[in-house]
Amino acid sequence: NAGVTQTPKFQVLKTGQSMTLQCAQDMNHNSMYWYRQDPGMGLRLIYYSASEGTTDKGEVPNGYNVSRLNKREFSLRLESAAPSQTSVYFCASSEVGGGSPDTQYFGPGTRLTVL
Amino acid sequence: AQSVTQPDIHITVSEGASLELRCNYSYGATPYLFWYVQSPGQGLQLLLKYFSGDTLVQGIKGFEAEFKRSQSSFNLRKPSVHWSDAAEYFCAVGGDSSYKLIFGSGTRLLVRP
């Protein structure tokens, strides 16, 4: 099993450009998450999907959109990138669909720079 | 609201020395508590978790953590640190009918030869 995979690994954008970060998991997990990691701030939840067909905002959703394409795939879209979105983005998945937290499994991350 | 505090931004220990990383949380009911480790350029890997039961939990790589409700703490310990333990460590809390986790800001561990 590959676990959680993310593409691309690195990306440089200019302000105003758009892009989609892809995430896939092969563990048959119900829930998927997108986080951003900034120095000294830990991980902050952008959006999550409790189950296929549902998505909800996390702590820092502004400037992002998500799509839960199917049970395996959860993409994050930046419609008009801003320098404040320079960060490392992590996708994660967990088995539990709701009611209590469970272990989250993380992908290797995408390092995004917006100039 | 839930929150997690990791008061130490950096910790340096000598190889072979013992280690304790601090984590304090704010949560009204019994929390679900996690410790993750992140090696440079990598994603996060689960070290251990506490849901209920025995308050001393064992994890991978020789780590353990103790849940102390009276102190709202979940400190991570290892009796003898190896150079490969150099990484960033994150404490996280969840619960309250939500499967979302709140992460601390992390503690970076440096290991002296």
Side-chain angles (χ1 to χ4, degrees), chain B residues 62-102:
Chain B
F63 285 92
E64 67 177 26
E66 187 171 12
F67 171 56
K68 293 185 177 180
R69 184 189 302 275
S70 62
Q71 298 177 19
S72 298
S73 69
F74 188 56
N75 294 350
L76 181 71
R77 301 193 294 249
K78 186 169 185 177
S80 178
V81 169
H82 188 263
W83 64 265
S84 60
D85 293 325
E88 190 154 20
Y89 291 80
F90 292 93
C91 183
V93 65
D96 190 20
S97 72
S98 167
Y99 33 84
K100 294 183 286 185
L101 296 183
I102 303 298

Side-chain angles (χ1 to χ4, degrees), chain A residues 31 33 35 37 40-43 45 48 50 56-57 90 96-108, chain B residues 32 34 36 38 41-46 49 51 88 90 94-106:
Chain A
S31 301
Y33 313 81
Y35 292 90
Q37 183 180 32
M41 302 188 73
L43 278 76
L45 184 64
Y48 65 100
D56 285 288
K57 295 178 180 179
F90 288 100
V96 177
S100 61
D102 199 356
T103 301
Q104 293 186 16
Y105 295 85
F106 285 80
Chain B
Y32 295 76
F34 303 79
Y36 283 86
Q38 183 182 32
Q42 303 296 315
L44 278 71
Q45 180 185 21
L46 180 72
K49 61 186 178 184
F51 283 3
E88 190 154 20
F90 292 93
D96 190 20
S97 72
S98 167
Y99 33 84
K100 294 183 286 185
L101 296 183
I102 303 298
F103 285 83
S105 55

Side-chain angles (χ1 to χ4, degrees), chain A residues 2-32:
Chain A
V4 180
T5 57
Q6 293 182 236
T7 55
K9 289 190 179 353
F10 301 94
Q11 184 71 48
V12 178
L13 293 177
K14 295 180 180 178
T15 297
Q17 287 185 316
S18 62
M19 79 160 296
T20 300
L21 280 65
Q22 306 287 353
C23 174
Q25 52 91 8
D26 62 1
M27 296 174 282
N28 201 35
H29 285 170
N30 291 314
S31 301
M32 298 185 74

